Every structure is written in structure tokens, then in C-alpha cells.
Amino acid sequence: MDGQPLRFDTKIAVLLRDDLAPWQRLNVTSFLVSGLGSQVPEVIGAPYEDADGVAYLPMFRQPVLVFEATKEVLRAAHTRTLTRALPRAVFTADLFSTGNDTDNRAAVRAVPTADLDLVGLAVYGPKGGVDKVVKGARMHP
């Protein structure tokens, strides 16, 4: 590289509801980004290796921007991801009371889209499209 920062034409964003406890924010963020990494292969970079040749797993090739917003702004952002058909992952309040992946999927499946009690949303796509999705949210402190 020539010392210039790398600019991406895409963006990974996580939007969290602003009333979550700190442990919930971390948990929701972790779950949400795992969904993007598993379904959008272009977001994953090459594996890492240290100077001793020890291998490490690949990670996202670009930063993940984390935002927070009210329940209403989060709902609007979710609607915008649907109308733009952007890759997305959701985390609902119901998932805090489940204990495994099967129950997590069942909890989301049991609720109509308009009634999901969203606490988090991850989205990936063109920078301008993702910026429109998170409109009204603020960067997480």
C-alpha cells in the first residue's frame, strides 16, 4: 500500500436499540455480524498469521460501524433494509430468553415481520444504501 487509507464502496453497519444493557449490546453485535460473515463471503478477508507462523481465522476485511437508535428508528431502518433488499440479520428481544439456535430461529419465525421486537440489526451493502438505512441513528458511544 502507498500509505493511503483504504476506502470501501460498501459498508457493514450494526444498529442497536438504545435501551440495551452493555452485555446485551455486545452479545447482540456478536450474533448479528456472524450472520453477515456466514452469508456474504466478500466481507471476509484472508486468514491471519503471526511472525511465528501461527495461523488465525480470517475476519471482516473492513470496519464494522456500530450505531444506536430508538426502537422507532430501528424499526424504520429494518423496513428500509427490506425495501432495498440488502443482506441483513436481526436480533429480537425474544432471543434473550432462548438458549439455543433452534429456539432462536423458532422465536423469530413465530412473529410477523411488522411485529418483531427488534433490538438489533446488521446490514451490508453499498455505502450510500447502508447510510440511508441507518439514517436517524447515531454512532454508538
Side-chain angles (χ1 to χ4, degrees):
M1 280 186 49
D2 59 6
Q4 295 296 320
L6 185 58
R7 303 282 182 211
F8 295 97
D9 58 352
T10 58
K11 188 178 272 189
I12 300 170
V14 172
L15 183 54
L16 302 171
R17 204 164 74 192
D18 60 4
D19 62 350
L20 297 179
W23 74 265
Q24 291 173 317
R25 291 170 186 253
L26 294 170
N27 183 267
V28 170
T29 300
S30 298
F31 269 89
L32 289 171
V33 296
S34 72
L36 291 178
S38 69
Q39 294 299 305
V40 187
E42 66 266 23
V43 301
I44 303 297
Y48 287 76
E49 183 176 303
D50 67 24
D52 293 322
V54 176
Y56 301 95
L57 294 172
M59 296 185 284
F60 289 130
R61 65 181 180 90
Q62 67 189 89
V64 176
L65 301 174
V66 182
F67 297 85
E68 69 175 5
T70 63
K71 187 175 189 172
E72 295 76 23
V73 170
L74 183 56
R75 176 159 303 288
H78 179 249
T79 300
R80 289 191 288 267
T81 65
L82 298 175
T83 60
R84 286 176 172 73
L86 294 172
R88 64 206 163 266
V90 295
F91 198 104
T92 66
D94 295 332
L95 302 187
F96 290 127
S97 63
T98 59
N100 61 72
D101 189 49
T102 301
D103 291 341
N104 285 351
R105 286 193 314 278
V108 174
R109 183 178 274 302
V111 180
T113 305
D115 297 331
L116 291 171
D117 187 7
L118 297 169
V119 298
L121 172 72
V123 61
Y124 170 76
K127 186 185 263 185
V130 173
D131 287 343
K132 289 177 182 169
V133 165
V134 299
K135 183 180 178 184
R138 58 194 170 278
M139 288 296 293
H140 191 282

